[in-house]
């Protein structure tokens, strides 16, 4: 029997993370303690209140039926969260749709709005799921480079007029993955103006919205006047509430757009496990307490890596939030992919090459804030030794 991949599979390149893991395992087999700063998977456990509800609800015999989407209770909790945290009013009946993690929502959403050949405006570098969704829809990505001279924010004025006319969707992610650039009200206002002018839907990926280290509230696209007229925001409980494995997220915003996504979702799945939704409700209703602790921890880690890498000569991108540090390493004679494997071999520190997120990421490294402070200090010390020897 001859088994062949579909032509569409060529659009989905093999992820590098498996190969990084294999290289790391080979180093660990030598007896070296690894310091893994690659995956953006939270190392902090969910809050005890959240775990308790999930455990109690999972023990109920009545919890195992289809939920057929988000429950009314969950949608009301999302609406309360947005009102408290960002002063955004959401109708829980029409302006919120649940997804099984933000990855699922991001990959499927372009199919709801894009026809084959339509343009989708996305950033370079960007989270890899954005491209996957665009290709799955048969749409064409147009990459907005994130450049140092623009504070790593996309420049809407640089988008050609003919591209803007063909565009159906724009995907933004601030603070982002891999680049932790922070938006401001003026930036979001300009994005909305562009969307109105060109009839483009905006999707803002707010997965890291609670990872801010200055100010008093998360930055929500939906808090900008006119945002709900042109777009939506997708947010996940994975990062902010350490529920990555639970796979629960939501999209909020324009009611007509949400209705179209609901139509698509009704053909894809039967909803998230009910006890996970109940745990999500507790997380959202206790967001202030939970995320205050999160920020205290990650702010310290952010400070250690930013200062430490700068001291050893790396050019660290200034940031005031996010779950990652984005930096140029000292040995630029070596490309970023080779450099990452070299670092694993020499030091046992595991990081991600920037070029896997787009060609504009070449020469950069993404470092995740997912280890305790003492391990981050040790990671910098190991990298310092590497830089002295190989720079």
């Amino acid at each position: 029997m001859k088994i062949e991949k579909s032509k569409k599979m060529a659009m989905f390149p093999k992820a590098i993370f498996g190969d990084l893991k294999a290289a790391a395992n080979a180093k660990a087999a030598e007896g070296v303690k690894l310091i893994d700063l690659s995956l953006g998977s939270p190392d902090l456990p969910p809050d005890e209140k959240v775990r308790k509800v999930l455990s109690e609800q999972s023990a109920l015999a009545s919890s195992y039926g289809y939920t057929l989407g988000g429950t009314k209770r969950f949608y009301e909790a999302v609406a309360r969260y947005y009102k408290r945290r960002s002063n955004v009013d959401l109708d829980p009946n029409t302006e919120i749709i649940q997804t099984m993690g933000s990855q699922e929502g991001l990959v499927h959403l372009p199919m709801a709005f894009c026809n084959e050949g339509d343009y989708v405006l996305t950033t370079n570098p960007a989270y890899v799921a954005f491209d996957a969704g665009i290709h799955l829809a048969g749409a064409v990505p147009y990459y907005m480079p994130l450049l140092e001279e623009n504070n790593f924010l996309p420049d809407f004025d640089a988008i050609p007029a003919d591209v803007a006319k063909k565009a159906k969707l724009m995907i933004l992610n601030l603070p982002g993955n891999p680049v932790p650039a922070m938006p401001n009200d003026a930036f979001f206002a300009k994005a909305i103006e562009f969307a109105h002018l060109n009839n483009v839907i905006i999707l803002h990926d707010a997965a890291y919205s609670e990872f801010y280290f200055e100010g008093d509230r998360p930055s929500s696209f939906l808090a900008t006047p006119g945002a709900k007229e042109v777009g939506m925001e997708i947010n996940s409980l994975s990062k902010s509430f350490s529920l990555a494995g639970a796979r629960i997220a939501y999209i909020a915003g324009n009611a007509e757009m949400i209705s179209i996504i609901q139509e698509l979702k009704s053909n894809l799945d039967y909803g998230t496990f009910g006890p996970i939704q109940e745990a999500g409700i507790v997380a959202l209703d206790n967001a202030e307490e939970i995320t205050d602790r999160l920020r205290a921890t990650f702010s310290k880690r952010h400070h250690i890596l930013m200062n430490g890498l700068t001291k050893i000569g790396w050019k660290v991108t200034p940031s005031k939030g996010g779950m990652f540090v984005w930096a140029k390493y000292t040995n630029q004679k070596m490309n970023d992919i080779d450099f990452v494997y070299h670092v694993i071999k020499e030091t046992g520190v595991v990081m991600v090459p920037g070029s896997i997120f787009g060609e504009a990421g070449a020469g950069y490294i993404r470092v995740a804030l997912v280890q305790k402070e003492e391990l981050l200090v040790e990671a910098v010390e190991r990298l310092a030794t590497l830089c002295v020897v190989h720079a």
Side-chain angles (χ1 to χ4, degrees):
M1 179 179 179
K2 186 178 181 180
I3 300 173
E4 296 181 337
K5 293 188 288 187
S6 71
K7 293 179 181 178
K8 193 176 286 288
M9 285 298 294
M11 300 176 181
F12 306 107
K14 181 182 176 183
I16 196 174
F17 294 102
D19 292 338
L20 288 176
K21 185 69 173 177
N25 287 342
K27 188 64 179 177
E30 299 174 6
V32 175
K33 180 182 71 174
L34 298 176
I35 302 179
D36 193 343
L37 307 176
S38 58
L39 285 177
S41 182
D43 61 307
L44 303 178
D47 186 271
E48 184 179 355
K49 292 187 290 294
V50 176
R51 302 198 309 271
K52 181 180 179 183
V53 169
L54 179 57
S55 176
E56 291 173 349
Q57 291 291 316
S58 297
L60 300 177
S62 59
S63 292
Y64 288 82
Y66 292 129
T67 59
L68 300 176
T71 63
K72 185 173 185 291
R73 282 172 45 77
F74 180 80
Y75 288 155
E76 289 173 345
V78 172
R80 289 192 298 271
Y81 169 78
Y82 262 78
K83 182 61 177 177
R84 292 193 328 271
R85 301 297 281 152
S86 301
N87 197 29
V88 171
D89 292 307
L90 290 173
D91 184 338
N93 298 309
T94 62
E95 295 182 331
I96 307 169
I97 180 75
Q98 189 178 99
T99 66
M100 301 180 82
S102 59
Q103 180 104 348
E104 181 264 304
L106 289 165
V107 171
H108 286 138
L109 183 138
M111 288 194 297
F113 299 101
C114 297
N115 296 313
E116 191 166 337
D118 285 339
Y119 277 50
V120 176
L121 307 174
T122 184
T123 60
N124 179 5
Y127 180 45
V128 293
F130 299 166
D131 257 11
I134 294 167
H135 291 314
L136 196 61
V140 179
Y142 178 84
Y143 297 109
M144 303 177 290
L146 302 182
L147 304 175
E148 183 178 358
E149 55 263 37
N150 296 327
N151 296 315
F152 295 94
L153 295 172
D155 180 4
F156 304 130
D157 294 332
I159 300 170
D162 60 327
V163 171
K165 288 179 181 178
K166 294 178 183 178
K168 291 285 285 291
L169 177 66
M170 175 193 289
I171 305 175
L172 300 173
N173 174 211
L174 300 160
N177 176 9
V179 187
M182 295 294 286
N184 54 40
D185 294 341
F187 173 81
F188 279 146
K190 191 163 187 177
I192 291 168
E193 180 184 6
F194 178 92
H196 274 299
L197 184 63
N198 296 286
N199 197 38
V200 173
I201 293 169
I202 294 177
L203 175 67
H204 178 235
D205 178 4
Y208 304 95
S209 60
E210 289 283 4
F211 285 78
Y212 60 94
F213 307 138
E214 294 182 8
D216 59 359
R217 66 177 178 87
S219 181
S220 170
F221 165 69
L222 296 181
T224 312
K228 283 202 290 184
E229 296 172 16
V230 299
M232 303 162 285
E233 189 160 75
I234 184 168
N235 207 339
S236 166
L237 279 72
S238 293
K239 313 300 184 184
S240 300
F241 302 102
S242 301
L243 287 168
R247 312 314 303 141
I248 182 166
Y250 55 85
I251 305 171
N254 183 279
E256 186 176 0
M257 298 175 193
I258 295 298
S259 177
I260 292 171
I261 298 169
Q262 171 64 58
E263 187 177 341
L264 174 65
K265 287 282 291 175
S266 68
N267 290 280
L268 296 178
D269 63 73
Y270 288 96
T272 299
F273 186 39
I276 291 175
Q277 297 197 46
E278 290 299 313
I281 292 167
V282 173
L284 291 166
D285 283 343
N286 291 274
E288 288 80 358
E289 174 191 347
I290 294 172
T291 61
D292 278 353
R293 290 198 296 269
L294 170 99
R295 278 185 296 279
T297 296
F298 278 85
S299 180
K300 292 176 183 176
R301 296 177 179 184
H302 178 261
H303 181 78
I304 288 170
L305 270 183
M306 291 278 289
N307 288 352
L309 293 176
T310 299
K311 286 180 180 178
I312 65 172
W314 290 35
K315 188 174 182 181
V316 181
T317 300
S319 62
K320 300 175 183 177
M323 197 177 182
F324 306 100
V325 167
W326 184 246
K328 280 188 174 181
Y329 50 94
T330 54
N331 188 5
Q332 287 286 309
K333 292 181 180 179
M334 187 179 292
N335 72 52
D336 55 299
I337 293 177
D338 290 342
F339 180 77
V340 161
Y341 286 111
H342 180 66
V343 170
I344 292 172
K345 181 180 178 181
E346 295 294 324
T347 72
V349 177
V350 189
M351 302 174 293
V352 181
S355 59
I356 73 161
F357 302 101
E359 62 182 19
Y364 287 88
I365 299 295
R366 191 195 76 174
V367 190
L369 307 174
V370 294
Q371 296 288 355
K372 294 179 180 179
E373 294 168 35
E374 56 268 26
L375 285 179
L376 296 180
V377 171
E378 183 179 344
V380 172
E381 290 172 350
R382 294 190 195 185
L383 293 172
T385 301
L386 177 82
C387 292
V388 168
V389 174
H390 299 285

